């Protein structure tokens, strides 16, 4: 069984600054201009010059992706492709619908993504990617070998691997800079910050000794430890990751989860076992010895939207809200 790999990169945001050209001449002899009082008042109330509507990217722009590869964009890319649902969601959120020439086979949000040309799933379709002839291809779940092969074929590949919610927001701002969609990126990030703040404000009263232990299972027998954004989501929601003593995405030891004794078990709502046709919560509850776990005894095995929980994109803070509601419903739904 394969673990899920999620990717992003760090923030490189630059704001284009306006240059004012001063007129030449002797200020003692030059005629002085007067501004009518009404116009002076209007000028005083003008919006600041650095408002989001004025954010524009200066090209050429040189950036570095999460793999350490540096690339320079001479202008805003006119044709853009994505190899991961998280990246596709970012691109659509920035209003790049018309520029998107291909997405991954797994993309299902927004609805418009379903009609875009497909470039492969967990196995990339090299021929389709080359045929798309994109100016830049954004990727997340891609191994180093595939990335190297695509670059050898002349593909401008930008890989993202954010490990925190803040890094997701920084990455959206970076993509906005690359694509000259900085104003749109600011709007998306501002909304995400509001959603983040709503959760941290709601759970701030939870004392360390009262924090609930949370176990997340996104695929049968697989969970996430420290160092990944999903682990941070549990912490931001006021919980403690029951698998937080291990790093990354990994296959569980059932005995260790029983010993951890989580108060809440979260599972993704899109998993059905092919052999038994059972849902993930059914599989969890039927495991030997798991009926002694507090979460199962207290009926705290709760489904969460798989896409919101697993995609480090613009909806990740909505996933945070859903997790917080599952763990502390009394705080999130007063």
């Amino acid at each position: 069984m394969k673990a899920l790999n999620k990717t992003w990169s760090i923030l490189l945001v630059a704001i284009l600054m306006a240059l004012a050209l001063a007129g030449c001449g002797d200020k003692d002899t030059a005629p002085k201009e007067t501004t009518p009082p009404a116009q002076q008042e209007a000028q005083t109330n003008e919006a600041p010059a650095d408002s989001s509507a004025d954010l524009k990217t200066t090209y050429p722009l040189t950036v570095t992706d999460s793999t350490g590869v540096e690339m320079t964009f001479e202008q805003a890319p006119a044709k853009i492709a994505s190899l991961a649902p998280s990246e596709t969601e970012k691109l659509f959120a920035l209003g790049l619908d018309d520029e998107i020439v291909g997405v991954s086979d797994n993309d299902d949000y927004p609805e418009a993504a379903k009609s875009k040309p497909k470039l492969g799933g967990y196995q990339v379709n090299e021929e389709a990617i080359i045929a798309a002839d994109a100016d830049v291809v954004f990727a997340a779940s891609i191994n180093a070998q595939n990335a190297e092969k695509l670059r050898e074929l002349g593909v401008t590949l930008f890989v993202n691997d954010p490990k925190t919610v803040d890094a997701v927001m920084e990455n959206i701002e970076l993509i906005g800079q690359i694509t000259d969609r900085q104003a749109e990126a600011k709007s998306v990030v501002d909304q995400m910050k509001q959603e983040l703040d709503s959760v941290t404000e709601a759970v701030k009263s939870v004392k360390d000794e009262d924090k609930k232990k949370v176990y997340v299972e996104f695929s049968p027998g697989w969970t996430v430890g420290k160092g990944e954004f999903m682990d941070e989501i549990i912490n931001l929601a006021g919980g403690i990751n029951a698998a937080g003593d291990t790093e990354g995405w990994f296959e569980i030891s059932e005995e260790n989860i029983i010993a951890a004794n989580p108060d809440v078990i979260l599972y993704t709502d899109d998993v059905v076992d092919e052999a038994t046709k059972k849902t993930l919560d059914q599989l969890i509850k039927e495991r030997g010895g798991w009926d002694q776990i507090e979460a199962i005894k207290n009926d705290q095995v709760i489904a969460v939207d798989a896409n919101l929980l697993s995609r480090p994109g613009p909806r990740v803070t909505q996933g945070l809200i859903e997790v917080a509601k599952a763990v502390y419903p009394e705080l999130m739904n007063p």
Side-chain angles (χ1 to χ4, degrees), residues 8 24 42 55 60 98 115-116 147 175 193 199 215-216 221 226 252 254 269 271 279 310 314 317 319:
W8 307 255
C24 299
L55 295 177
D98 294 338
S115 61
K116 293 291 184 179
I175 295 176
K193 287 179 178 178
V199 173
Y215 168 69
V216 175
K226 60 186 175 183
I252 64 170
E254 293 189 14
D269 61 0
V271 176
T279 57
S310 64
T317 43

Side-chain angles (χ1 to χ4, degrees), residues 202 206 210 212 300 324-334:
V206 181
D210 296 329
K212 294 181 181 180
Q300 292 299 296
K325 286 182 176 179
V327 179
Y328 298 107
E330 71 282 2
L331 297 178
M332 293 298 297
N333 300 298

Side-chain angles (χ1 to χ4, degrees), residues 270-282:
D270 65 342
V271 176
V272 177
D273 182 67
E274 294 183 3
T276 64
K277 305 304 180 184
K278 293 181 179 179
T279 57
L280 188 49
D281 62 318
Q282 292 175 314

Side-chain angles (χ1 to χ4, degrees), residues 7-10 12 62-72 139 142 144 147-148 151 157-162 171 174:
T7 52
W8 307 255
S9 69
I10 62 174
L12 295 169
T62 300
V63 293
T64 305
D65 78 348
S66 66
T67 66
V69 173
E70 185 179 276
M71 59 198 75
T72 298
I142 186 169
E148 183 179 358
R151 285 168 173 152
L157 183 70
F158 194 97
V159 181
N160 294 310
D161 187 19
N171 178 238
L174 176 57

